[in-house]
Amino acid sequence: MILVLNKNLPEAEIAGVVSEIERLGFSAQVVLNQPNPLVFVSGDVKVVPSHLFSNIAGVEKVMKLGPACPRVDNSEGRPVVVGNIKIGYGAKPVVIAGPCSVENEEMLLQTAHAVKVAGAVMLRGGAFKPRTSPYDFRGLGKQALEYLAQARRQTGLPVVSEVMSVEQLEIALDYVDVLQIGARNMYNYELLSAVGKTQLPVLLKRGMSATINDLLQAAEYIMLAGNSQVILCERGIRTFETYTRNTLDLSAVAALKTLTNLPVIVDPSHGTGRKDLIRSMSRAAIAAGADGLIIEVHPQPMRAMSDAAQAITPVELEKIVMDTRKIYELFSEEATFSSAPALSLASTVS
Amino acid sequence: MILVLNKNLPEAEIAGVVSEIERLGFSAQVVLNQPNPLVFVSGDVKVVPSHLFSNIAGVEKVMKLGPACPRVDNSEGRPVVVGNIKIGYGAKPVVIAGPCSVENEEMLLQTAHAVKVAGAVMLRGGAFKPRTSPYDFRGLGKQALEYLAQARRQTGLPVVSEVMSVEQLEIALDYVDVLQIGARNMYNYELLSAVGKTQLPVLLKRGMSATINDLLQAAEYIMLAGNSQVILCERGIRTFETYTRNTLDLSAVAALKTLTNLPVIVDPSHGTGRKDLIRSMSRAAIAAGADGLIIEVHPQPMRAMSDAAQAITPVELEKIVMDTRKIYELFSEEATFSSAPALSLASTVS
Amino acid sequence: MILVLNKNLPEAEIAGVVSEIERLGFSAQVVLNQPNPLVFVSGDVKVVPSHLFSNIAGVEKVMKLGPACPRVDNSEGRPVVVGNIKIGYGAKPVVIAGPCSVENEEMLLQTAHAVKVAGAVMLRGGAFKPRTSPYDFRGLGKQALEYLAQARRQTGLPVVSEVMSVEQLEIALDYVDVLQIGARNMYNYELLSAVGKTQLPVLLKRGMSATINDLLQAAEYIMLAGNSQVILCERGIRTFETYTRNTLDLSAVAALKTLTNLPVIVDPSHGTGRKDLIRSMSRAAIAAGADGLIIEVHPQPMRAMSDAAQAITPVELEKIVMDTRKIYELFSEEATFSSAPALSLASTVS
Amino acid sequence: MILVLNKNLPEAEIAGVVSEIERLGFSAQVVLNQPNPLVFVSGDVKVVPSHLFSNIAGVEKVMKLGPACPRVDNSEGRPVVVGNIKIGYGAKPVVIAGPCSVENEEMLLQTAHAVKVAGAVMLRGGAFKPRTSPYDFRGLGKQALEYLAQARRQTGLPVVSEVMSVEQLEIALDYVDVLQIGARNMYNYELLSAVGKTQLPVLLKRGMSATINDLLQAAEYIMLAGNSQVILCERGIRTFETYTRNTLDLSAVAALKTLTNLPVIVDPSHGTGRKDLIRSMSRAAIAAGADGLIIEVHPQPMRAMSDAAQAITPVELEKIVMDTRKIYELFSEEATFSSAPALSLASTVS
């Protein structure tokens, strides 16, 4: 950690800063820079809040060094495994598909069979639905989970579904193969810790205004609680652009692949909110290095009870699966992504 | 609801759109606009998802009319009451103050007495702290709530504290006077419904990327669950500007005052993240029409265990309380804000 | 155009709205919707500012219909031609490359030869450089243009360079093959009109906070002035994310391809600001449907006088050119993009 | 400048970094931090691009120290003077008002007299109008300037009007008292330098996605060209919020007042885009410390040819002028803002 001191701080006051640092249990080295002297602090500075440093009289600014997410940074170089499916770290990209909401038994089973035929390897389906308006359809809950389990029995496809509370998590544990944390709950640290205590892989979506660093920190919460099976998911961020529902940030995918060994998938359905852009963005996501896609599919999109504007048909899904394979094959001979993620450095202004 | 049909849609297909609408149980009136014919749909369109309309073959776009948050729109014109304190609807602005985190008994009691002397009418203090990094201080939990209750006994100040899960809510109910929902949980609909089932007033903070409409919808969740004692809080939104921690959106305060009767307060501490801007922004918030302020105060800001960069001293708080009174007195003779909030209209692109 | 009237507006006042519309020279049809009556206005509403409608007493809101950019919407389905190079509308993706700034004769010639060998078909190079700080290197001006012309003579590569004022434009006309309008000048309507009066193709970069609609309107300025040779360029938008210099919005590329026949290229150098992400984003851009790339290349990136963090070497460029060809070949048998761009509809709140 | 070296860089390579720095003409001091060694560089590092440092082999990151805008940082502590009006540095807040566009002689003269009666001290009026769509009204040009000059003769109010090009600037010099640079041209460095060569005060609006730092750098362009009479203007930034036209960033006002001695005014008309919010935001702006307001006024707002949704009447203006005086009087006894702006420090990631 480097402390930038006030302009032309007198030597006596610099000495005061040094003693304060030592009082906190760290050692200090002064650099007599002009006009702002600097102090370099060594020792395990993470054990105290950085504000203890930034608020020492005479300190203008604190610059931190060192990784903020040790577990994420040091995640092992191996794929997340769901049944016999591997996700990330050199594995072939996976396509996860299914309806936004599980609307009823028949539509779910029909969709599950259709997405399997189209090439999807995992089934998604909302049982508990977060909706901006309380008057929108909020999902069938436990009943939906039962339908999902039935779809798995019939198709063999593992199931991913979202949980929004510890209560829902406890119910879902009996039914799903992958727990999804939605964008609205990425900062729900209680929930992150709770899924971190389970043995199930977690699909963690980026919050709608979360930085790449925030997303990694959220993954750190899960890993710190004991669960290292985390799949990151880019699903669009909120910007001034209104043509698309969100702005799909594919640079984040490429960046995450350099920062961590965790698999990174993309949700082009929420990322764009427009069915006419999903195929293009699926291609782009795989080309950017994504380890998979999660896509909303409905047998009759115009009848969907939620997110109909972004649902595609199984026929369109099949084209995307094909595209995915073709693009992957182009580049599959390249070395897998490095297991040595770059050092993450962050500086904060006090 | 108005449906904009495809350019030059043949009459036969327009008739198809009409029958589809009727099949859904609504009535339709056609306007033969050039080049896009229009259909006006009447009936209670909220009972079905709007996508059922937007996905009818031949429909280009759906434009919605009508209020999205009936309970918020029709909230009664009266203040929220906490003990003998009134918040909003013409009441004098309140100042809520206290430490970011309850760090220990002594500092809390000291702060509580100090903010009371400075003119605050309610005590804030974090027992359960949401932190981006799992390695930061996460609060003392139940122990902190006990200190808060003790501070209330000694000072008479009602207590507001954040809950992040149903489990924490159940504990907090025995200690606090106002439940706070933080920015990171504004979209946590399970939690919103849970606090909506209690009898306690709820201080609802705007999410860091929530629109004004999203905030009103979150309030609707609470009110729909039965609790109409909701206090809205602007605390800054996430933008490209990095000089401040967030961008404090005071226009949202003025806008919310025209859209609802609910009280609206401002958090300049998180809104700016910089102690040098808090007094200015407090003045500006009250001048913009805010019904109160919630401010982080620490007896020794440089020793704060969290958010130290934005904590002010009790002495500075007192100046802000004075400013608040002066600005309020300037304008207090104006009529209270109208009890007839403007009709909220929204249009969506399908 | 549809006018939404005030809730329960009395019939007499509705009649007043109608006469006002007729006074403005348009015809009106009333729909007695509850609670907000509607009025449909026909005639060429573009001839008067829409606020004349929105401000008629009794009008709550105006919803516009119809294309906002007639020339862009109706742009012909054919590529932009630069020498013997075709850009867009089914042509093979082009790679434009060169240094951020033309630093001196030797480095430019060296770079020009190197990018040609690597497969680039056009040379970029900054003669006049927009810089946030006035103390940064602002380019060699006319001297740089002479070097660029010399590089063209030696390599045969057409040249693209930015102009920031009418004065610079007049100089550049003698030297360059494509005029570039940079992101900072996308809203510089005087300059847009000026390049619109030339015969040279224009490479128009999206402003850092421009919506897709704003970009199309900027293209409309150029086309309205008489020049239909416009190449759109996505180069990243400004968001809260700070890991990348900008947030590259590849959905905008896919969207623009559905909205217009104009070619759309991508600048991954400015879009990410990080050399480690440029190859991934180049792949993703082509996969998203981009008609080309514009990339900053420097023979010794660490010696670059501007934007060094995002410059790549000719060797890296060659890999990108290869990637581009491979991805294009995967999908080249698909039909070229439709020449019938979707109707653009916009609604505004008064 | 501090260079953070690669983790565990061997001493021999550290020595290589040092010689490279010395080769560039600077001196270096090494701090053997673990795991990342540091090098402190002294000398006038501004004379070479920082990328020359960041690209030295073994350098992980560059952290810059020192002010980026020396002229702005050291601007003298005195108001900008326009005729007998003083703006900023302790002067009473000014209200500048007038129509968005000068529509014709009669309306302008009528408005000018009305805003004078209401208490405005300067007249604004658009002669050259930047419009997103080329089909919107673009102003009367030189004719409008003549009307403005006539209005000045009749009322004595100095005149402020926008210029968008050097050509317009040359015309405007004969007519206006203050040159306005609009938000769309804040990055138009040619124009900034051109107005910097005149003797007229410049009203510089913040770009719609400009950071506080970008705005200060734009002011530096003007001051570097020789003109120190710069008035900064906050007019709202572009964010995800769509309820308001822009998000008015009043924290930027307070921040700018700590960072520079230049006057800072606020444009609540463009900042909100909604006439129902202008009075509240005017109050808030003055309470935040603004040195003045610039407001769009129209004698009959519903007839305005541009920006009608945000125009207010002279009667409403008078109330705002009164509010402004009252709030100013509350705080006018405080010391004027410090003439010693805080040191601006910035760090960049290479």
Side-chain angles (χ1 to χ4, degrees):
Chain A
M1 186 178 279
I2 297 163
L3 308 184
V4 181
L5 305 188
N6 289 341
K7 225 169 175 167
N8 306 319
L9 194 73
E11 293 212 10
E13 295 185 32
I14 298 177
V17 173
V18 169
S19 17
E20 181 65 19
I21 291 165
E22 288 169 353
R23 204 187 60 77
L24 290 166
F26 303 94
S27 63
Q29 179 181 345
V30 176
V31 175
L32 288 173
N33 179 34
Q34 284 300 334
N36 296 72
L38 306 174
V39 178
F40 168 70
V41 182
S42 56
D44 183 9
V45 295
K46 293 219 77 157
V47 302
V48 298
S50 67
H51 296 298
L52 289 191
F53 296 103
S54 64
N55 286 292
I56 294 172
V59 173
E60 180 85 36
K61 186 180 168 182
V62 171
M63 290 167 164
K64 281 189 201 173
L65 306 168
C69 312
R71 275 165 187 77
V72 169
D73 283 6
N74 299 309
S75 53
E76 279 178 70
R78 50 172 188 165
V80 167
V81 177
V82 182
N84 57 357
I85 301 159
K86 289 181 180 178
I87 306 173
Y89 209 73
K92 196 160 64 172
V94 296
V95 175
I96 306 169
C100 175
S101 311
V102 175
E103 296 171 12
N104 58 58
E105 186 178 2
E106 187 195 345
M107 79 76 74
L108 180 70
L109 295 176
Q110 184 188 351
T111 310
H113 285 287
V115 302
K116 186 180 183 184
V117 168
V121 297
M122 211 180 301
L123 178 66
R124 61 149 289 152
F128 306 103
K129 297 298 305 171
R131 302 305 301 269
T132 304
S133 165
Y135 303 105
D136 288 335
F137 176 60
R138 293 199 243 168
L140 298 180
K142 190 175 173 181
Q143 182 66 61
L145 292 171
E146 282 167 6
Y147 297 151
L148 285 164
Q150 191 182 340
R152 178 179 47 200
R153 281 191 300 274
Q154 293 193 8
T155 62
L157 297 177
V159 159
V160 52
S161 196
E162 177 170 357
V163 292
M164 299 187 290
S165 67
V166 174
E167 194 178 46
Q168 290 173 6
L169 167 61
E170 280 159 15
I171 301 170
L173 280 176
D174 294 337
Y175 297 95
V176 310
D177 301 286
V178 176
L179 293 162
Q180 178 179 314
I181 301 295
R184 290 177 178 82
N185 282 300
M186 195 209 80
Y187 292 112
N188 185 338
Y189 302 127
E190 297 300 305
L191 186 58
L192 296 177
S193 294
V195 299
K197 284 174 198 142
T198 73
Q199 306 297 315
L200 290 182
V202 178
L203 193 165
L204 174 64
K205 290 193 160 185
R206 183 182 186 183
M208 58 183 92
S209 63
T211 61
I212 291 172
N213 181 54
D214 289 352
L215 174 59
L216 292 174
Q217 297 275 12
E220 186 80 8
Y221 264 95
I222 298 170
M223 294 180 78
L224 183 59
N227 188 342
S228 62
Q229 299 276 95
V230 179
I231 303 161
L232 305 173
C233 181
E234 161 62 31
R235 49 73 74 199
I237 56 174
R238 204 164 243 194
T239 72
F240 62 82
E241 178 59 73
T242 54
Y243 185 83
T244 43
R245 180 171 173 177
N246 292 288
T247 295
L248 190 67
D249 181 10
L250 292 181
S251 299
V253 174
L256 287 166
K257 296 295 295 181
T258 70
L259 292 168
T260 169
N261 285 323
L262 298 176
V264 182
I265 69 170
V266 170
D267 174 351
S269 306
H270 289 87
T272 65
R274 298 179 63 104
K275 65 184 75 170
D276 59 339
L277 303 181
I278 289 172
R279 190 173 176 195
S280 303
M281 287 303 103
S282 295
R283 289 175 173 179
I286 298 300
D291 298 304
L293 300 168
I294 181 165
I295 299 179
E296 290 186 359
V297 173
H298 196 283
Q300 293 171 281
M302 64 173 274
R303 303 276 172 237
M305 292 176 76
S306 53
D307 283 354
Q310 68 196 40
I312 61 169
T313 62
V315 171
E316 292 169 285
L317 180 69
E318 189 167 8
K319 292 179 195 158
I320 291 172
V321 170
M322 297 300 208
D323 291 348
T324 299
R325 286 182 194 155
K326 286 186 197 167
I327 295 171
Y328 173 70
E329 278 159 24
L330 281 188
F331 304 118
S332 60
E333 286 169 29
E334 293 177 9
T336 52
F337 293 99
S338 161
S339 59
L343 175 67
S344 43
L345 285 166
S347 73
T348 27
V349 176
S350 67
Chain B
M1 186 178 277
I2 298 164
L3 309 182
V4 181
L5 305 189
N6 288 341
K7 227 169 174 168
N8 306 319
L9 194 73
E11 293 212 8
E13 294 185 33
I14 298 176
V17 173
V18 169
S19 12
E20 182 63 20
I21 292 165
E22 288 169 353
R23 203 188 61 77
L24 290 166
F26 302 94
S27 63
Q29 180 181 345
V30 176
V31 174
L32 289 172
N33 179 34
Q34 285 298 334
N36 296 72
L38 307 172
V39 178
F40 167 71
V41 182
S42 56
D44 184 8
V45 295
K46 294 218 77 156
V47 302
V48 298
S50 68
H51 296 298
L52 289 191
F53 296 103
S54 65
N55 287 291
I56 294 171
V59 173
E60 180 84 36
K61 185 181 170 182
V62 170
M63 290 165 164
K64 280 191 200 171
L65 306 168
C69 314
R71 275 166 188 77
V72 169
D73 284 5
N74 299 308
S75 54
E76 277 180 71
R78 49 173 190 166
V80 166
V81 176
V82 182
N84 58 355
I85 300 159
K86 290 181 178 177
I87 306 173
Y89 209 73
K92 202 160 59 172
V94 296
V95 175
I96 306 169
C100 176
S101 311
V102 176
E103 295 170 13
N104 58 58
E105 186 177 1
E106 187 196 343
M107 79 74 75
L108 180 70
L109 295 176
Q110 183 188 351
T111 310
H113 286 286
V115 302
K116 187 179 183 183
V117 168
V121 298
M122 212 179 302
L123 178 66
R124 63 148 288 150
F128 305 103
K129 297 298 304 171
R131 302 305 300 270
T132 303
S133 165
Y135 303 104
D136 288 334
F137 175 59
R138 294 199 243 168
L140 300 179
K142 190 173 171 181
Q143 183 65 60
L145 292 171
E146 282 168 6
Y147 297 151
L148 285 165
Q150 191 182 340
R152 177 178 48 199
R153 280 192 300 274
Q154 293 193 9
T155 61
L157 296 177
V159 160
V160 53
S161 197
E162 178 170 357
V163 291
M164 298 188 289
S165 66
V166 173
E167 195 178 45
Q168 291 174 5
L169 167 62
E170 279 159 16
I171 301 170
L173 280 176
D174 293 337
Y175 297 95
V176 311
D177 301 285
V178 176
L179 294 162
Q180 179 178 315
I181 301 295
R184 289 177 177 83
N185 282 300
M186 195 209 80
Y187 292 112
N188 185 339
Y189 302 127
E190 297 300 305
L191 187 57
L192 296 176
S193 294
V195 298
K197 284 174 197 141
T198 72
Q199 306 296 314
L200 290 181
V202 178
L203 193 165
L204 174 64
K205 289 194 161 185
R206 184 183 185 182
M208 58 183 90
S209 64
T211 62
I212 291 173
N213 182 54
D214 288 352
L215 175 59
L216 292 174
Q217 298 274 12
E220 187 80 9
Y221 265 95
I222 298 171
M223 295 180 78
L224 183 59
N227 189 342
S228 62
Q229 300 276 96
V230 179
I231 303 162
L232 304 174
C233 180
E234 162 62 28
R235 48 75 73 199
I237 57 174
R238 204 163 244 195
T239 72
F240 61 83
E241 178 59 73
T242 54
Y243 185 84
T244 43
R245 179 171 174 177
N246 291 289
T247 295
L248 190 67
D249 181 10
L250 292 181
S251 300
V253 174
L256 287 166
K257 297 295 295 182
T258 70
L259 292 168
T260 168
N261 285 323
L262 298 176
V264 182
I265 70 170
V266 169
D267 175 351
S269 307
H270 290 86
T272 65
R274 298 178 64 104
K275 64 183 76 169
D276 59 340
L277 302 182
I278 289 172
R279 189 173 177 195
S280 301
M281 286 303 103
S282 294
R283 288 175 175 181
I286 298 300
D291 298 305
L293 300 168
I294 180 164
I295 298 179
E296 290 187 359
V297 174
H298 196 284
Q300 292 171 280
M302 65 173 274
R303 302 276 172 238
M305 293 177 73
S306 53
D307 283 354
Q310 67 197 41
I312 61 170
T313 62
V315 171
E316 292 168 285
L317 180 68
E318 188 168 8
K319 291 180 196 158
I320 291 173
V321 171
M322 297 301 208
D323 290 347
T324 299
R325 285 183 194 155
K326 285 187 198 166
I327 295 172
Y328 173 70
E329 278 160 22
L330 280 189
F331 304 117
S332 62
E333 285 169 29
E334 292 178 11
T336 53
F337 294 100
S338 162
S339 59
L343 176 67
S344 44
L345 286 166
S347 73
T348 27
V349 176
S350 68
Chain C
M1 186 178 279
I2 298 163
L3 310 183
V4 180
L5 305 189
N6 290 341
K7 225 170 175 168
N8 306 318
L9 194 74
E11 292 211 8
E13 295 184 33
I14 297 176
V17 173
V18 169
S19 13
E20 182 64 19
I21 291 164
E22 288 168 354
R23 203 187 62 76
L24 291 166
F26 302 94
S27 64
Q29 179 181 346
V30 177
V31 175
L32 289 173
N33 179 34
Q34 285 299 334
N36 295 71
L38 307 173
V39 177
F40 167 72
V41 182
S42 55
D44 184 8
V45 294
K46 292 217 79 154
V47 302
V48 297
S50 67
H51 296 298
L52 290 190
F53 295 103
S54 65
N55 286 291
I56 295 173
V59 173
E60 181 83 37
K61 185 181 170 182
V62 171
M63 290 165 165
K64 282 190 198 171
L65 305 168
C69 313
R71 274 165 189 77
V72 169
D73 284 6
N74 299 309
S75 54
E76 278 179 72
R78 50 174 189 164
V80 167
V81 177
V82 182
N84 58 355
I85 300 159
K86 290 182 179 176
I87 307 173
Y89 209 74
K92 200 160 62 171
V94 296
V95 175
I96 305 168
C100 175
S101 311
V102 175
E103 296 170 13
N104 57 59
E105 186 177 1
E106 186 196 345
M107 79 75 75
L108 180 70
L109 295 176
Q110 183 188 352
T111 310
H113 286 287
V115 302
K116 186 180 183 184
V117 168
V121 297
M122 211 179 302
L123 178 67
R124 62 149 289 152
F128 306 103
K129 297 298 304 171
R131 302 304 302 267
T132 303
S133 165
Y135 302 105
D136 287 336
F137 175 59
R138 295 199 241 167
L140 299 179
K142 191 175 171 179
Q143 182 65 61
L145 292 171
E146 282 167 6
Y147 297 151
L148 285 165
Q150 190 182 341
R152 178 178 47 199
R153 281 192 299 275
Q154 293 193 8
T155 62
L157 296 178
V159 159
V160 52
S161 198
E162 177 170 357
V163 291
M164 298 187 289
S165 66
V166 174
E167 196 178 45
Q168 291 175 5
L169 167 62
E170 280 159 15
I171 302 169
L173 280 176
D174 293 337
Y175 297 94
V176 310
D177 301 286
V178 177
L179 294 162
Q180 179 178 314
I181 301 295
R184 290 178 178 83
N185 281 302
M186 194 209 80
Y187 292 112
N188 185 339
Y189 302 128
E190 297 300 306
L191 186 58
L192 296 177
S193 294
V195 298
K197 283 174 199 140
T198 73
Q199 307 297 314
L200 290 182
V202 179
L203 194 166
L204 174 65
K205 289 196 160 183
R206 182 183 186 183
M208 59 183 89
S209 64
T211 61
I212 291 173
N213 182 54
D214 289 352
L215 175 59
L216 292 174
Q217 297 274 13
E220 187 80 9
Y221 265 94
I222 298 170
M223 295 181 78
L224 182 60
N227 189 340
S228 63
Q229 299 276 95
V230 179
I231 303 162
L232 304 174
C233 180
E234 162 62 30
R235 48 76 74 200
I237 57 174
R238 204 163 245 196
T239 71
F240 62 82
E241 179 58 73
T242 54
Y243 185 85
T244 43
R245 180 172 174 177
N246 291 288
T247 295
L248 190 66
D249 181 11
L250 292 181
S251 300
V253 174
L256 287 166
K257 297 294 295 180
T258 70
L259 292 168
T260 168
N261 285 324
L262 298 175
V264 183
I265 69 170
V266 169
D267 175 351
S269 307
H270 290 87
T272 65
R274 297 179 65 104
K275 64 183 74 169
D276 60 339
L277 303 182
I278 289 172
R279 189 172 177 197
S280 302
M281 287 303 103
S282 295
R283 290 175 174 181
I286 299 300
D291 297 306
L293 301 168
I294 180 164
I295 298 180
E296 290 187 359
V297 173
H298 196 284
Q300 292 170 280
M302 65 172 273
R303 303 276 172 235
M305 292 177 74
S306 52
D307 283 353
Q310 67 196 38
I312 62 169
T313 63
V315 171
E316 293 168 286
L317 180 69
E318 188 167 10
K319 292 181 195 156
I320 291 172
V321 171
M322 297 300 207
D323 291 346
T324 299
R325 287 183 193 154
K326 285 187 198 165
I327 295 172
Y328 172 70
E329 278 159 23
L330 280 189
F331 304 118
S332 62
E333 286 170 28
E334 293 178 10
T336 53
F337 293 99
S338 161
S339 60
L343 174 69
S344 44
L345 285 165
S347 72
T348 26
V349 175
S350 68
Chain D
M1 186 179 279
I2 298 163
L3 309 183
V4 181
L5 305 189
N6 290 342
K7 227 168 174 166
N8 307 318
L9 195 73
E11 293 212 8
E13 296 185 31
I14 296 176
V17 173
V18 168
S19 16
E20 182 64 20
I21 291 165
E22 289 167 355
R23 203 188 60 79
L24 290 167
F26 302 94
S27 63
Q29 178 180 346
V30 176
V31 175
L32 288 173
N33 179 33
Q34 286 298 336
N36 296 72
L38 306 172
V39 177
F40 167 71
V41 182
S42 57
D44 183 9
V45 294
K46 292 218 78 157
V47 302
V48 298
S50 67
H51 296 297
L52 289 191
F53 295 104
S54 64
N55 287 293
I56 294 172
V59 173
E60 179 84 38
K61 186 179 169 182
V62 171
M63 289 167 166
K64 281 189 199 170
L65 305 168
C69 312
R71 276 165 187 77
V72 169
D73 284 5
N74 299 310
S75 54
E76 278 178 71
R78 50 173 188 164
V80 168
V81 177
V82 182
N84 57 357
I85 300 160
K86 291 181 178 177
I87 306 173
Y89 209 73
K92 191 159 69 171
V94 296
V95 175
I96 305 168
C100 176
S101 311
V102 176
E103 296 170 13
N104 58 58
E105 185 177 3
E106 187 196 345
M107 79 75 74
L108 180 70
L109 295 176
Q110 184 188 351
T111 310
H113 285 286
V115 301
K116 186 181 183 182
V117 168
V121 297
M122 210 179 302
L123 178 66
R124 62 149 288 152
F128 305 103
K129 298 297 305 170
R131 303 305 301 268
T132 304
S133 166
Y135 302 104
D136 287 337
F137 175 60
R138 294 200 243 167
L140 299 180
K142 190 175 172 181
Q143 182 66 60
L145 292 171
E146 283 168 5
Y147 296 151
L148 285 165
Q150 190 182 341
R152 178 178 48 200
R153 282 192 299 276
Q154 292 193 7
T155 61
L157 297 178
V159 159
V160 53
S161 197
E162 178 170 357
V163 291
M164 299 187 289
S165 67
V166 174
E167 194 179 47
Q168 291 173 6
L169 167 61
E170 281 158 14
I171 302 171
L173 280 176
D174 294 336
Y175 296 95
V176 310
D177 302 284
V178 176
L179 293 162
Q180 179 178 312
I181 301 294
R184 289 178 178 83
N185 281 301
M186 194 209 80
Y187 292 112
N188 185 338
Y189 302 127
E190 297 300 305
L191 187 57
L192 296 176
S193 295
V195 298
K197 285 173 198 142
T198 72
Q199 307 296 314
L200 290 182
V202 178
L203 193 167
L204 174 65
K205 290 194 160 185
R206 182 182 187 184
M208 59 183 91
S209 63
T211 62
I212 290 172
N213 181 55
D214 289 352
L215 175 60
L216 292 174
Q217 298 274 14
E220 187 80 9
Y221 265 95
I222 298 170
M223 295 181 77
L224 183 60
N227 188 341
S228 62
Q229 299 275 94
V230 179
I231 303 162
L232 304 174
C233 181
E234 161 61 31
R235 49 74 74 199
I237 56 174
R238 205 163 244 195
T239 72
F240 63 82
E241 179 59 75
T242 55
Y243 185 84
T244 42
R245 180 172 173 176
N246 291 289
T247 295
L248 190 66
D249 181 11
L250 293 181
S251 300
V253 174
L256 287 166
K257 297 294 295 181
T258 70
L259 292 168
T260 169
N261 285 323
L262 298 176
V264 183
I265 69 170
V266 170
D267 175 351
S269 306
H270 290 87
T272 65
R274 299 180 63 105
K275 65 183 75 170
D276 59 339
L277 302 182
I278 289 172
R279 189 173 177 196
S280 302
M281 287 304 102
S282 295
R283 289 176 174 179
I286 299 300
D291 297 305
L293 300 169
I294 179 163
I295 298 180
E296 289 187 0
V297 173
H298 196 284
Q300 291 171 282
M302 66 172 273
R303 302 276 171 236
M305 292 177 76
S306 53
D307 283 353
Q310 68 197 40
I312 62 169
T313 62
V315 171
E316 293 168 285
L317 180 69
E318 188 167 8
K319 291 180 195 158
I320 291 172
V321 171
M322 298 300 207
D323 291 347
T324 298
R325 287 182 192 155
K326 285 186 196 166
I327 294 171
Y328 172 70
E329 278 160 22
L330 280 189
F331 304 118
S332 61
E333 287 170 27
E334 293 177 11
T336 52
F337 294 99
S338 160
S339 59
L343 175 68
S344 44
L345 285 165
S347 73
T348 26
V349 176
S350 68

